[in-house]
């Protein structure tokens, strides 16, 4: 042992800075490896050169959304458990004791990473795509063990489904051994061995080459590799049962623990489900003390935490899902039903809505609902934006009422009555437009239908001003059935929107009105003939057929929406098994 000249009685030397920085540069390389893995999946597709620059712009917006690799209700995150702290190689120093015993502490365990559903989130947009657990603290002299890393909790919205990506998925991040093998590729044998050792061992300063010659060190190294192989086998065995979590319910809180527990009694906080465990801490040099090695001058570094790649998918929990072709007026309808509260874009071109949006509809005792103000025209959202911009430029925005305040003052009396008498509320999901061959990934595909899979009822929205709305309806039904067989019978109502465009109004043309009636009649006929769904009772006996309701409306001018709300309420109560309340 080297004498500790000029050092205090409790000197400790814990780590070599050089090897530490080598470790970090290699870990940076490893994370760079993961990064490329995620970038690779972005496929660059050639875009057709469109003559019309406007439609080109829209098309590239759709393309851009598709290239994102999914909607915001679908993300892939790479999770690593915290790295274990390094063990320490140190010797005890004391006055009058020239040679003290080995006294390096062990490293702390790396922190585990958990996933927990919370009702406070509604989208996956705030979930980080790379999560690393807290590292364990390094061991120190005088037998001081490092601190364990604190657990990390990834919070996700309720209704998130978590799936682990299988080993053959190209989007999966490499595990620590694969990443290490990649970083060592092509190096000469001796250099490889040196790098492997640097990542695993801590030496007492100046003793590295001496240590590496010793038989006891070689024996310890063999043991370490054996343990590592065993750990790798364990992780592979665990991967045979990939993580699958359906996080539907909030995690049980531990409130049940006696609230009068004595002070200092630790309340257990709910952590959620474990997805990646932290690495074990390294061993301090006392661990290598044996009958033949009285002063081991090496310790091990902490182990890497477990690495997993998870696909998170959010199933929105809306009671009613709107399904329709692009531009049919789904977003306008949602805005009309919620009195403009729903933050969903409306514009006169296809694929305005790119992410599913859920909003709440509040129904009062008398069947009226908050958005029923007849005077309000729900038009393109850019008109409202332009109004705000005007106010901003004139400097009046600071004092102006917000959109919601405006709505309430315009109709304050009614709003107050509503809030007092609100008797029922339900949620409606607006979706991007669905088109023919969406299952072949045309348009935005139909991956977003995931969000309405669990709705209690589906509602088709068709544009009554279209040439053949019944054709649209057939396509919608077929696409839904293609997406998930057995889903289409959930549809209960056909909303024929834009009825205001057909005749009516001030310049009433009797021919146009007649034509509109004829169109509606054909639509009803088609629904009755082709869209009826066989209904069976609880024990499977057939109960006949269920006909879908057809309701002509104008979402833009809030016409006939009361009927829509009334029916939606009925479907929800039906499905929930509640006695249908009569609404006046
Ligand atoms: N005249 C009339 N126009 C309507 C009505 N409902 C919607 N519109 C117009 O139709 C256009 C499309 O409306 P959106 O609500 O954006 O349609 P969407 O179904 O959400 O379209 P995507 O999001 O692209 O799928 C807008 O210009 C609306 O102003 C209506 O009842 N009458
Ligand atoms: Mg829309």
């Amino acid at each position: 042992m080297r004498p500790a000249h000029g050092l205090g009685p409790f000197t400790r030397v814990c780590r070599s800075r050089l090897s530490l920085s080598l470790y970090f540069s290699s870990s940076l390389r490893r994370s760079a490896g993961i990064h490329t893995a995620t970038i690779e999946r972005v496929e660059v597709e050639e875009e057709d050169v469109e003559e019309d620059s406007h439609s080109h712009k829209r098309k590239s917006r759709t393309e851009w959304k598709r290239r994102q690799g999914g909607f915001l209700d679908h993300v892939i995150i790479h999770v690593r458990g915290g790295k274990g702290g390094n063990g320490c190689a140190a010797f005890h120093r004391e006055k009058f004791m020239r040679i003290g015993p080995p006294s390096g502490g062990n490293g702390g365990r790396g922190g585990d990473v958990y996933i927990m559903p919370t009702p406070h989130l509604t989208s996956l947009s705030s979930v980080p795509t790379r999560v690393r657990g807290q590292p364990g603290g390094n061991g120190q002299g005088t037998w001081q063990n490092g601190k364990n890393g604190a657990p990390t909790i990834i919070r996700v919205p309720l209704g998130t489904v978590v799936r682990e990506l299988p080993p053959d998925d190209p989007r999966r991040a490499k595990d620590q051994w694969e990443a290490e093998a990649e970083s060592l590729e092509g190096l000469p044998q001796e250099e490889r061995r040196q790098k492997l050792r640097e990542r695993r061992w801590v030496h007492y300063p100046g003793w590295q080459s001496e240590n590496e010659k010793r038989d006891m060190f070689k024996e310890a190294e063999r043991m370490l590799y054996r343990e590592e192989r065993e750990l790798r086998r364990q992780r592979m065995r665990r991967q045979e049962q990939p993580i699958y979590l359906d996080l539907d319910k909030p995690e049980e809180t531990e409130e049940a623990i006696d609230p009068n527990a004595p002070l200092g009694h630790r309340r257990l906080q709910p952590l959620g489900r474990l997805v990646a465990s932290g690495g074990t801490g390294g061993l301090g040099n006392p661990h290598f003390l044996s009958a033949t090695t009285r002063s081991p001058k090496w310790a091990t570094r902490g182990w890497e935490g477990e690495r997993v790649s998870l696909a998170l998918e959010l199933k929105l929990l809306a009671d009613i899902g709107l399904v329709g072709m692009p531009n049919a007026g789904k977003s306008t309808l949602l805005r009309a039903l919620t009195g403009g509260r729903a933050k969903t874009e409306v514009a006169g071109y296809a694929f305005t809505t790119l992410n599913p949006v859920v909003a709440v509809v509040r129904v009062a005792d008398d069947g009226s609902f908050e958005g029923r103000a007849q005077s309000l025209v729900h038009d393109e959202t850019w008109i409202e934006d332009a109004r705000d911009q005007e106010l901003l430029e004139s400097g009046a925005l600071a004092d102006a009422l917000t959109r919601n305040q405006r709505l309430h003052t315009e109709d304050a009396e009614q709003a107050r009555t509503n809030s007092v008498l609100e008797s029922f509320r339900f949620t409606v999901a607006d979706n991007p437009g669905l088109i023919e061959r969406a299952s072949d990934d045309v348009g935005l595909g139909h991956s977003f239908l995931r969000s309405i899979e669990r709705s209690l009822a589906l509602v088709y929205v068709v544009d009554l001003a279209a040439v053949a709305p019944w054709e649209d309806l057939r396509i919608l039904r077929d696409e839904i059935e293609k997406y998930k067989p057995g889903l289409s019978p959930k549809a209960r109502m056909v909303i024929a929107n834009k009825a205001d465009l057909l005749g009516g109004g001030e310049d009433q043309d009797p021919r146009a009105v007649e034509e509109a009636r004829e169109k509606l009649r054909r639509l009803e006929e088609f629904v009755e003939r082709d869209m009826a769904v066989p209904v069976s009772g609880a024990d499977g006996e057939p109960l006949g057929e269920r006909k879908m309701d057809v309701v002509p409306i104008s979402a833009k001018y809030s016409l006939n929406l009361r009927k829509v709300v009334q029916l939606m309420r009925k479907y929800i109560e039906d499905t929930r098994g509640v006695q249908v309340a009569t609404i006046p």
Side-chain angles (χ1 to χ4, degrees), residues 71-75 117-118 121-125 127 156-163 246-248 311-317 356 358 447-454 483:
F71 293 85
L72 268 188
D73 60 342
H74 189 207
V75 290
T118 158
L121 286 180
T122 51
S123 126
L124 291 174
S125 56
V127 178
V156 295
L158 273 180
T160 303
V161 177
V162 182
R163 284 194 190 87
D246 199 345
L247 303 173
D248 249 355
L312 306 188
E313 185 185 299
L314 177 59
K315 290 186 172 184
L316 296 181
L317 294 169
V358 177
S447 58
F448 52 82
L449 286 183
R450 247 182 271 123
S451 60
I452 51 162
E453 227 178 87
R454 300 199 303 182
Y483 167 69

Side-chain angles (χ1 to χ4, degrees), residues 278-486:
T280 323
L283 298 167
N285 62 338
H287 181 83
F288 300 97
L289 194 65
S290 69
T292 48
T293 315
R294 301 307 301 156
S295 72
K297 292 180 186 63
W298 62 82
T300 60
R301 289 188 184 278
W303 298 45
E304 293 264 345
E306 193 176 3
R307 300 185 189 190
V308 288
S309 296
L310 304 172
L312 306 188
E313 185 185 299
L314 177 59
K315 290 186 172 184
L316 296 181
L317 294 169
D319 297 319
I320 304 275
L322 300 181
V323 184
M325 294 270 175
N327 244 351
K330 301 175 291 298
S331 306
T332 314
L333 175 61
L334 192 66
R335 288 173 66 83
L337 289 177
T338 56
R341 271 182 297 111
K343 295 281 168 281
T344 179
E345 280 260 347
V346 172
Y349 58 83
F351 299 118
T352 311
T353 307
L354 295 173
N355 286 315
V357 176
V358 177
V360 182
V361 180
R362 301 187 197 147
V363 192
D365 256 348
D366 62 355
S368 65
F369 59 99
E370 226 188 10
R372 96 254 124 316
Q374 296 269 335
S375 54
L376 229 69
V377 176
H378 296 280
D379 210 346
E380 260 114 280
T381 28
W382 64 262
I383 295 180
E384 294 168 1
D385 291 342
R387 222 177 274 153
D388 285 352
Q389 188 62 31
E390 236 170 62
L391 279 174
L392 182 72
E393 275 160 21
S394 66
L397 191 66
D399 303 322
L401 295 176
T402 65
R403 229 177 264 174
N404 279 348
Q405 283 169 335
R406 234 174 13 236
L407 281 174
H408 278 267
T409 40
E410 274 168 18
D411 217 0
E413 195 47 46
Q414 191 60 45
R416 247 198 311 279
T417 333
N418 267 353
S419 62
V420 175
L421 296 177
E422 176 186 318
S423 65
F424 193 77
R425 62 164 68 185
F426 59 91
T427 48
V428 178
D430 174 27
N431 273 296
L434 188 67
I435 57 174
E436 191 160 23
R437 292 182 36 241
S439 50
D440 303 334
D441 222 12
V442 176
L444 288 176
H446 51 30
S447 58
F448 52 82
L449 286 183
R450 247 182 271 123
S451 60
I452 51 162
E453 227 178 87
R454 300 199 303 182
S455 300
L456 298 178
L458 300 183
V459 167
Y460 293 124
V461 182
V462 292
D463 181 351
L464 195 56
V467 187
W470 43 90
E471 262 313 293
D472 292 353
L473 200 54
R474 189 188 52 73
I475 293 170
L476 289 175
R477 196 236 352 240
D478 293 352
E479 282 302 328
I480 290 225
E481 197 56 32
K482 235 184 257 170
Y483 167 69
K484 191 173 181 188

Side-chain angles (χ1 to χ4, degrees), residues 228-283:
E228 218 172 292
R229 275 197 297 276
E230 180 51 35
L231 179 70
R232 194 170 182 181
R233 262 197 296 276
Q234 271 177 19
R235 296 229 170 127
M236 267 149 74
R237 266 201 298 274
R238 198 207 48 73
Q239 276 174 0
E240 284 167 16
Q241 282 156 2
I243 300 170
Y244 178 88
L245 306 169
D246 199 345
L247 303 173
D248 249 355
K249 295 187 193 68
E251 230 17 69
E252 292 290 305
T253 54
E254 303 290 331
E255 290 307 325
I257 286 186
D258 178 13
N260 299 319
L263 256 185
H265 174 88
R266 247 203 197 176
R267 289 261 181 109
L268 286 174
Q269 292 291 329
L271 290 169
R273 320 280 187 91
L274 179 68
V275 284
S277 44
T280 323
L283 298 167

